[in-house]
Amino acid sequence: QLKAIRAKLDDLRARASDRMKRLAKGVVKIGVVGLEKQGKSAFLSAWLKSEKLLPSEAERCTWSTTVVEPSEEGQFQAAVTYYKEDEFKARISSYFDALEPGSAERWQGLNQAEIMRLKAAFKTREGFEVDDPDRAGRREQAALLELQEIAATLSDIKSRLGKEPLLLQASSIDDLAEQIRPYIALKDTLHGNRPYAGVRAVKVVTVQIPVTGAMPGVVLMDLPGIDAPSDKARRDTEEALTNEVDITIFVKDVTRP
């Protein structure tokens, strides 16, 4: 027990040291957090004086974490970092577990036939259909929807997993917004609500823009909703709040004063 306490204290000391070094350099990380569909991205876009920078729709629309850092005047760029295969599996494992615990090992073969098998396994275990709105829970229904959408673009997702970061350059913040949208938004709401192929392979998008909308030394983080259907997404937010974020802004509902 003493060994475990010592390990926790060492971890706390290391995190405090990292935070002190960052603050000594004049860098403060602000995390924007809240429930899904409450306007976190809309709030951040307004702060940065660009309504187009981050996608904001009535339905759940973002997948990855977005980090906004200040850059030199006239410099607009972004780096897209992809999941490794094991990270992606961890991100989506809770979807499989909701239908059939332990079935995430089969993720690389996810297709319509596999989804039908998962639905049958769920019905055998629970006694009702997973897509029965009167009996199945929100978690199970959300998991089924996510798996169906992942299956539809799985080949594109696989082709991006483990790839080197992609660097995007732009001439303006609005131009950059158009370039990063396929790596942040789940669907192209501007063109028929089509899913963006491979967006679920994206782990984080780091955006660098001039400090007109972002204060010098301030790094902003648009984090996944704390009620996201993925356990891994929620853990990512919790870890960011614990280990990286210095100030937290909780967005409840941007449509109300």
Side-chain angles (χ1 to χ4, degrees):
Q1 187 177 5
L2 182 60
K3 187 176 181 180
I5 294 174
R6 183 175 298 163
K8 290 182 179 180
L9 289 174
D10 288 341
D11 176 65
L12 181 60
R13 184 183 298 111
R15 287 192 282 115
S17 177
D18 290 343
R19 184 159 299 185
M20 287 178 64
K21 290 176 182 178
R22 188 171 68 247
L23 293 174
K25 294 178 182 179
V27 176
V28 176
K29 288 191 174 183
I30 299 177
V32 181
V33 68
L35 301 177
E36 289 197 320
K37 300 184 292 185
Q38 297 302 304
K40 298 185 303 297
S41 298
F43 169 80
L44 196 51
S45 292
W47 185 342
L48 298 170
K49 301 180 181 179
S50 173
E51 294 182 3
K52 296 181 180 180
L53 182 62
L54 299 174
S56 178
E57 312 294 345
E59 62 182 52
R60 178 170 177 254
C61 61
T62 54
W63 168 266
S64 59
T65 295
T66 306
V67 178
V68 182
E69 301 177 343
S71 69
E72 300 295 327
E73 189 66 32
Q75 184 181 34
F76 304 89
Q77 64 182 32
V80 180
T81 302
Y82 296 103
Y83 282 113
K84 297 176 182 177
E85 282 198 5
D86 60 332
E87 293 175 326
F88 180 73
K89 176 186 169 185
R91 172 75 191 260
I92 66 173
S93 63
S94 60
Y95 303 149
F96 285 89
D97 289 342
L99 273 65
E100 183 185 37
S103 60
E105 298 296 330
R106 304 166 62 100
W107 76 268
Q108 295 202 40
L110 186 64
N111 54 27
Q112 193 57 41
E114 175 64 10
I115 288 175
M116 295 300 293
R117 191 196 67 79
L118 289 169
K119 290 176 66 175
F122 179 89
K123 184 176 181 180
T124 298
R125 187 178 75 252
E126 301 294 339
F128 54 87
E129 300 284 355
V130 66
D131 47 7
D132 183 341
D134 297 322
R135 303 183 69 182
R138 175 183 178 274
R139 175 175 176 266
E140 290 78 14
Q141 294 182 58
L144 175 61
L145 179 60
E146 289 287 342
L147 289 174
Q148 289 172 331
E149 294 187 353
I150 290 170
T153 58
L154 186 59
S155 60
D156 294 294
I157 293 171
K158 285 182 176 180
S159 69
R160 298 186 185 188
L161 294 176
K163 290 184 66 174
E164 291 296 314
L166 172 67
L167 183 63
L168 304 173
Q169 302 276 0
S171 58
S172 68
I173 191 170
D174 285 348
D175 179 28
L176 185 62
E178 291 300 315
Q179 290 194 47
I180 67 174
R181 187 177 178 86
Y183 302 98
I184 298 176
L186 287 169
K187 296 179 180 180
D188 185 357
T189 56
L190 303 178
H191 301 94
N193 222 31
R194 295 171 298 183
Y196 280 117
V199 65
R200 285 176 167 81
V202 177
K203 181 178 182 179
V204 60
V205 177
T206 304
V207 177
Q208 294 182 328
I209 59 174
V211 297
T212 303
M215 294 173 287
V218 172
V219 174
L220 303 172
M221 300 181 70
D222 184 16
L223 298 165
I226 56 177
D227 62 336
S230 165
D231 291 343
K232 178 64 166 57
R234 294 195 297 272
R235 288 197 301 271
D236 287 347
T237 294
E238 292 169 1
E239 289 173 8
L241 294 176
T242 301
N243 301 325
E244 298 185 64
V245 170
D246 302 303
I247 300 172
T248 302
I249 297 177
F250 192 92
V251 178
K252 185 177 181 182
D253 185 353
V254 296
T255 64
R256 299 180 180 179

